[in-house]
Amino acid sequence: MRPFWTVLRFLAGGIAAGGVAPAQEPLNPPAPLVAVTGGPSAGGEAVAVAAAQRAQTLGLPGVAADLFRRARDSAGVDRDRLSLALATALLDSGQPEEAEKVLNEITGPRGSAWQLRAGLAAAQLRRFEAARAAAAQVRETELSPGDLPWHWFLQGELMLAQTSEFSRANEFFRKAEEAARTELSRARFQLAAEMLRLRMSAPRDADLKAMRENYEKLQGTPIGYGFAQNYAVALEAAGQKGQAVAFLQGVLVALPRRERIWWDRLRLLLGLIGDKSRNGAGRNALGQLLETGSDPLLQRQALQILAAESGAEPERLHFRTLLTRLIDLQPDHPIKENLLLFRAQLVLGEQLFAAAEEDANALLKQFPLSPLRAHALGILTQSAWEQRRYRLAADFAQKTRTELRALAAAAPADGPAVESANRRAQAVLGVLEAEAWFRAGLAAGDRSDFRSAADAYGAVLRERPAELPVGRVGALMLQRVLAEIRAGSKEVGRILDELARDPAFDLENRWQAEWSLARSLQLQGTEGVREAYSRVNQLLAAGEAAGAGLRPELRARMAWLQARLSFDSGDLARTLELVENLLGQGGGIAPALRAEIASTAILLRARAEFALGREAGALETLKRLRAEYPTSDAAASSFLVESEHFAEQEKIDEARTRLIQLTDNPAFRTSEYVPYALFRLATLAERLGRPENLEEAYRRAEELVKHPSAAGQVDLIFAARMKQGNLLRKRNDFAAAQRIYEYLVNTYPLRPDVVLAQLALAECHNAQSAARDPAATGSAHAESAQLIFEQLRDRVDAPSDVRVEAGYNLGLLLVRRGKPEEAVVVWSRDVVLPFLEKETRPFESDAKRPYWLARTLRDLGDLLEKLGRIEEAKAAYQLLLEKRLPNGEAVARARLEQLGVLGPRR
């Protein structure tokens, strides 16, 4: 029965150091009153850590160390566990000094896992007394299954250092191999033992002479080959690498092929000692062993060495070529499943996703009982994740969980440590599956994906093992709530209340969940705001009735949310009362949070006073805010609030002055509110409409794009560039506007609103074609405009407003190009029929398509009249009249009267 625990390090990672998925976008927008922290999401962290673990499992410790370091430095939780993993990789790659530094940085308990690594580091540094002291504190029962082989390896190393007897040390090395048990891990520990043997104390000249004589006496016999091996090892230990390599090459030339055991062993030794660069003696020997050897275990060792030595481009290309040749052999190579796995890893690191998936699928199909199945599924998971094919990543993560469960059921006697590792691995996979579904929902906007994500998060939380870090559990609870919200669940409040009873739901994540629920309710309109307001009121009242209630920091945040919701619900007098309560609240919360709550509460008071028509009081409140909290975000935001107030009263100069006070204030030079102020300045200047105002608007938008604080605000930058293009169109500079829209289309091809830039680009081409070639018969601009209009008309993922406007403009262009019959088809079949006659839903309050539908029907009726199709023209005008589209009723009635359908109105 095959054990399964060594496949737990499986999810992903490439042989090349660059084989880690690029960072994914943040899962959720930040909530207020929470410090913004960086780092990957739970799913992203799982993929990154698994990349490092896979590199370690496949015998690539240098790559693993680099990946573990990056994962640890960006981790939000579980840093000590990642530090232990980093120390392991550093030890495995021969960097004991670095490993000790990492171990000494760990602040948590220094149990058996820590002591084991400390002993290994000390032994590598030849400080054997310190190594023995650390080893004595290791309790075998406390070690994870991944640590057990290292425990026995350390015992063997200490025995070898004490007695110099390989026979006694070999007993422990064999235990290390048995603890590993799978072929890949066993090969790794055999290699480690060989490397340890090579670096033991250097022999004396007399020893070398005796070994040489023993070999020469028994040359050509199995015992003689054993002496040859020992002599080569001794030469290497004495620093005579060149002589060792030459000696082994001479022995191998005369070695009969019938001596298959020694043919393999001596080539492996030459591979360990010799040069492993392109065409080096060591690399050639390993290639020969891998290609024509007879011992699969030694071939796996050769494979691992070649993989570890194939980081540079020439060696990597040579290694890939060798793998391909061996995989294509007929009959199959004895370790073909390993070859497929390593090539999949190699090409995944080069982001050749299709090739990686082909090899992983071949492994699964050709070796259905292979212990490497979980590795292959991990490659498929990683490949899908890196390509942002999240539904597929979720599916493969679920399949890998199933594989682990099957392996666990098949090996029930492997002990509690193995069970613990399996539970943790399954939980990590569950997190990855849930996040993949969540990201799929973000990408596609499909509620069913969020439903799957919510169910997956729920399953992880129900089955969560004790090994799952507590700091991660609260974040998963938050994600469960967010998934339920996006799935449109009516049970979010109840689910959130149930989760709140779990001590693992920490304050920060609980607050973000409450904030997110409130925001989702607010987006549902007036009734949603009232429901959110009612929920917060009930929570705070229940806390007071219960005596202890909410923890102080959560209570303060909820009280702040209560005040904000009272404002949003129009209960302005209550808002002023709640703000006073906030400002008078007692201690129990951190000073920074208290200051942020107070400053934003004062700003809320000013907004309520403005809404109540108390301008003088509001202005005085804002003055107080800027005096008491002069560098706060609320103070910066106050200029925007005051400017908006004056703009609503058409006091444009006053509004602009407040914005300039913000943009020119040195205290807010790096504030994220400055780009918004610049955007508002551009909007107000555009609103004035004079040529010099349009120039100023363009300049302000350019300042926004180049402002340091706008670097991460992609939405704002996109909007600013769109505004610049629109300003240029107002000035009839269509060529310059075209360049801006082309930049947006090429730079942000995946943004949902890039269709707005595409529509504007088509209109620029259309305008230029009309100016240069009124008939638009052979204009390149006309061709481009028509192509883009057609694409937008047919894009089912584009907003209806965009598709209708594109369809209207396409019809106009076809008329201008002398194709009126085609224009009739476009307007009637592609615009009016789907978006008006068959549409059953009412228009949104801010919808633009009623205007474009009215224009379409007017122009369609006029065109049909010109074509002599009077009855169809009457139908178009009649539909325009019936639907009561804006600015259409009067025109439709007039045309119908002229056509004799309606009598004159009295």
Side-chain angles (χ1 to χ4, degrees):
M1 184 173 297
R2 290 184 181 273
F4 68 89
W5 65 262
T6 51
V7 303
L8 303 183
R9 296 176 173 184
F10 62 93
L11 282 178
I15 288 175
V20 185
Q24 256 74 5
E25 298 78 5
L27 274 182
N28 312 299
L33 306 183
V34 176
V36 178
T37 57
S41 63
E45 187 175 295
V47 172
V49 171
Q53 290 175 328
R54 178 178 289 283
Q56 179 89 8
T57 300
L58 295 183
L60 305 166
V63 174
D66 180 57
L67 299 180
F68 273 128
R69 192 183 301 277
R70 277 188 268 167
R72 181 202 62 170
D73 292 345
S74 63
V77 297
D78 227 7
R79 283 179 56 86
D80 284 355
R81 184 178 64 86
L82 292 174
S83 292
L84 284 173
L86 171 58
T88 305
L90 290 169
L91 289 168
D92 206 5
S93 62
Q95 303 179 66
E97 298 92 344
E98 285 297 312
E100 282 194 332
K101 289 179 183 178
V102 171
L103 289 170
N104 289 329
E105 291 170 359
I106 293 176
T107 57
R110 296 184 173 184
S112 292
W114 189 95
Q115 297 293 346
L116 172 61
R117 287 156 180 80
L120 287 164
Q124 283 193 25
L125 293 168
R126 307 187 71 77
R127 300 201 312 262
F128 293 111
E129 288 303 318
R132 291 188 184 91
Q137 299 184 60
V138 174
R139 299 292 176 266
E140 183 182 338
T141 55
E142 297 176 0
L143 294 177
S144 71
D147 283 350
L148 280 173
W150 290 108
H151 168 64
W152 296 120
F153 184 84
L154 176 59
Q155 298 299 321
E157 188 169 8
L158 293 175
M159 177 62 70
L160 190 60
Q162 182 176 351
T163 65
S164 299
E165 293 183 16
F166 244 100
S167 58
R168 297 181 63 185
N170 274 340
E171 295 178 12
F172 291 107
F173 294 146
R174 276 196 296 273
K175 283 189 175 182
E177 294 171 29
E178 290 168 1
R181 287 182 288 185
T182 64
E183 290 87 348
L184 279 174
S185 297
R186 186 181 303 123
R188 284 183 60 220
F189 282 99
Q190 280 198 353
L191 277 176
E194 289 295 331
M195 295 303 297
L196 182 62
R197 180 178 180 177
L198 287 176
R199 70 168 189 259
M200 290 310 293
S201 58
R204 296 169 299 175
D205 290 342
D207 297 328
L208 289 174
K209 182 179 179 182
M211 290 179 186
R212 177 74 187 222
E213 290 174 351
N214 286 333
Y215 162 68
E216 291 174 347
K217 288 177 184 176
L218 298 169
Q219 189 172 356
T221 68
I223 297 176
Y225 297 130
F227 281 124
Q229 176 180 259
N230 294 339
Y231 180 56
V233 169
L235 286 172
E236 160 67 15
Q240 300 179 40
K241 181 187 292 286
Q243 292 91 322
V245 169
F247 172 73
L248 284 171
Q249 288 176 319
V251 173
L252 285 167
V253 167
L255 184 65
R257 283 304 302 263
R258 66 174 179 273
E259 296 287 353
R260 303 195 63 83
I261 294 175
W262 287 107
W263 197 94
D264 287 355
R265 287 182 180 178
L266 293 179
R267 272 178 171 73
L268 177 63
L269 181 58
L270 179 55
L272 287 169
I273 294 175
D275 179 13
K276 285 173 276 295
S277 62
R278 185 79 167 87
N279 295 323
R283 191 176 194 87
N284 290 336
L286 293 170
Q288 292 167 2
L289 170 57
L290 190 55
E291 193 160 1
T292 59
S294 58
D295 187 335
L297 183 58
L298 298 187
Q299 287 179 309
R300 290 187 184 94
Q301 294 176 18
L303 178 63
Q304 289 184 341
I305 298 170
L306 285 172
E309 297 292 337
S310 296
E313 183 59 35
E315 287 78 16
R316 188 162 59 248
L317 179 60
H318 175 267
F319 183 49
R320 184 176 172 186
T321 302
L322 175 63
L323 289 174
T324 299
R325 185 168 70 251
L326 298 180
I327 288 170
D328 292 341
L329 286 177
Q330 291 296 331
D332 285 344
H333 193 284
I335 62 166
K336 183 177 180 180
E337 58 187 308
N338 301 88
L339 300 173
L340 285 167
L341 177 63
F342 273 77
R343 189 171 69 174
Q345 291 287 100
L346 180 64
V347 295
L348 181 62
E350 297 171 357
Q351 296 192 329
L352 300 173
F353 300 116
E357 291 167 5
E358 183 179 356
D359 281 344
N361 282 314
L363 194 159
L364 292 171
K365 182 178 180 180
Q366 297 176 30
F367 302 95
L369 300 179
S370 171
L372 302 179
R373 282 180 55 84
H375 291 282
L377 289 167
I379 288 172
L380 294 171
T381 305
Q382 173 90 14
S383 179
W385 179 273
E386 286 199 26
Q387 296 174 80
R388 289 167 166 76
R389 296 160 65 192
Y390 293 117
R391 289 172 180 165
L392 197 58
D395 181 56
F396 283 129
Q398 190 275 331
K399 287 179 178 177
T400 313
R401 279 183 93 189
T402 301
E403 183 73 16
L404 288 184
R405 283 174 176 159
L407 287 169
D414 276 342
V418 176
E419 293 175 8
S420 172
N422 183 51
R423 285 194 302 269
R424 183 188 179 93
Q426 290 191 48
V428 171
L429 278 168
V431 172
L432 179 55
E433 178 189 354
E435 185 170 323
W437 281 122
F438 195 95
R439 290 189 180 278
L442 292 177
D446 191 333
R447 282 190 170 184
S448 65
D449 291 326
F450 290 115
R451 180 70 265 150
S452 297
D455 293 341
Y457 280 121
V460 172
L461 291 170
R462 284 193 304 273
E463 302 168 7
R464 71 180 189 260
E467 296 81 6
L468 195 65
V470 173
R472 179 63 69 200
V473 175
L476 296 179
M477 292 177 170
L478 168 62
Q479 287 304 134
R480 164 80 189 282
V481 172
L482 296 175
E484 294 284 354
I485 290 172
R486 290 179 178 270
S489 171
K490 303 297 184 183
E491 300 293 319
V492 183
R494 179 188 61 78
I495 292 170
L496 178 50
D497 291 339
E498 289 178 359
L499 293 173
R501 291 191 283 271
D502 191 323
F505 204 2
D506 60 286
L507 184 149
E508 296 292 327
N509 285 302
R510 166 77 188 283
W511 159 244
Q512 292 185 70
E514 292 287 358
W515 163 256
S516 299
L517 176 56
R519 285 294 298 155
S520 71
L521 291 171
Q522 284 179 295
L523 294 176
Q524 297 174 20
T526 304
E527 289 302 317
V529 171
R530 290 174 182 166
E531 183 180 345
Y533 187 30
S534 174
R535 173 178 172 80
V536 174
N537 288 334
Q538 290 173 9
L539 284 172
L540 289 170
E544 292 175 0
L550 304 172
R551 287 173 290 178
E553 291 197 354
L554 181 57
R555 165 169 284 282
R557 287 180 167 112
M558 296 298 292
W560 176 88
L561 178 58
Q562 181 185 32
R564 176 163 175 165
L565 289 172
S566 71
F567 176 83
D568 292 337
S569 63
D571 193 356
L572 301 177
R574 177 67 170 157
T575 301
L576 296 177
E577 177 186 340
L578 292 172
V579 166
E580 286 303 314
N581 293 339
L582 276 172
L583 297 176
Q585 65 185 355
I589 62 175
L593 178 60
R594 185 185 299 114
E596 187 174 2
I597 289 175
S599 61
T600 52
I602 294 173
L603 179 61
L604 187 60
R605 172 195 279 170
R607 294 178 64 195
E609 290 170 336
F610 275 134
L612 289 167
R614 304 174 188 175
E615 181 178 292
L619 295 175
E620 188 62 31
T621 298
L622 292 178
K623 184 178 178 181
R624 171 192 168 186
L625 168 61
R626 294 165 192 159
E628 294 183 4
Y629 302 96
T631 60
S632 65
D633 284 346
S637 181
S638 71
F639 292 103
L640 294 170
V641 170
E642 191 172 346
S643 171
E644 188 65 27
H645 169 72
F646 287 123
E648 289 174 355
Q649 300 179 41
E650 295 299 323
K651 297 179 180 179
I652 304 302
D653 288 337
E654 290 283 350
R656 294 171 69 192
T657 298
R658 298 306 184 274
L659 293 171
I660 292 171
Q661 288 175 348
L662 171 58
T663 59
D664 293 355
N665 191 328
F668 301 120
R669 194 182 310 277
T670 59
S671 171
E672 64 179 12
Y673 291 102
V674 170
Y676 287 99
L678 290 169
F679 190 84
R680 287 292 300 153
L681 280 169
T683 302
L684 292 174
E686 182 183 10
R687 192 162 154 184
L688 293 173
R690 296 187 296 273
E692 61 271 23
N693 301 129
L694 298 183
E695 291 179 8
E696 180 192 352
Y698 187 92
R699 188 178 67 255
R700 292 295 188 182
E702 189 66 24
E703 289 178 31
L704 184 165
V705 171
K706 294 180 178 178
H707 196 278
S709 298
Q713 301 188 49
V714 178
D715 291 344
L716 196 56
I717 291 174
F718 185 88
R721 288 297 189 201
M722 282 292 297
K723 182 175 285 294
Q724 286 183 312
N726 296 340
L727 289 166
L728 290 169
R729 283 201 287 167
K730 285 186 176 182
R731 294 159 56 184
N732 293 322
D733 191 349
F734 292 103
Q738 174 189 329
R739 289 191 291 272
I740 285 182
Y741 295 133
E742 287 174 339
Y743 166 80
L744 291 173
V745 169
N746 293 328
T747 306
Y748 306 103
L750 300 180
R751 284 182 64 91
D753 55 356
V754 76
V755 293
L756 301 177
Q758 291 170 326
L759 179 61
L761 175 59
E763 290 168 353
C764 280
H765 283 302
N766 198 18
Q768 291 175 89
S769 73
R772 299 179 185 181
D773 180 12
T777 54
S779 167
H781 282 296
E783 292 288 346
S784 297
Q786 181 172 336
L787 177 62
I788 299 173
F789 283 141
E790 288 172 345
Q791 291 173 341
L792 291 173
R793 173 201 62 185
D794 298 336
R795 278 191 63 163
V796 295
D797 61 336
S800 297
D801 285 352
V802 170
R803 297 180 67 190
V804 169
E805 185 176 351
Y808 170 75
N809 282 292
L810 175 59
L812 276 187
L813 180 58
L814 290 170
V815 171
R816 190 156 56 85
R817 303 192 77 180
K819 302 176 180 179
E821 296 292 345
E822 292 185 29
V824 169
V825 172
V826 168
W827 280 339
S828 58
R829 183 194 66 190
D830 299 336
V831 178
V832 174
L833 181 62
F835 295 103
L836 188 62
E837 292 186 86
K838 290 188 174 181
E839 181 58 75
T840 58
R841 295 167 297 181
F843 295 123
E844 305 86 14
S845 59
D846 59 346
K848 297 179 180 179
R849 61 187 178 282
Y851 167 79
W852 292 108
L853 286 166
R855 290 193 64 174
T856 300
L857 283 170
R858 290 204 310 267
D859 289 359
L860 175 59
D862 183 63
L863 179 59
L864 289 167
E865 284 189 69
K866 292 176 180 177
L867 293 172
R869 296 160 63 174
I870 303 303
E871 293 304 316
E872 293 177 71
K874 291 177 183 178
Y877 293 134
Q878 191 69 43
L879 184 60
L880 178 58
L881 186 64
E882 292 173 1
K883 295 296 184 179
R884 297 186 176 183
L885 296 172
N887 302 320
E889 187 174 355
V891 173
R893 183 172 292 279
R895 295 305 300 147
L896 288 170
E897 288 175 359
Q898 292 175 9
L899 294 172
V901 177
L902 296 176
R905 300 186 69 177
R906 298 184 182 277

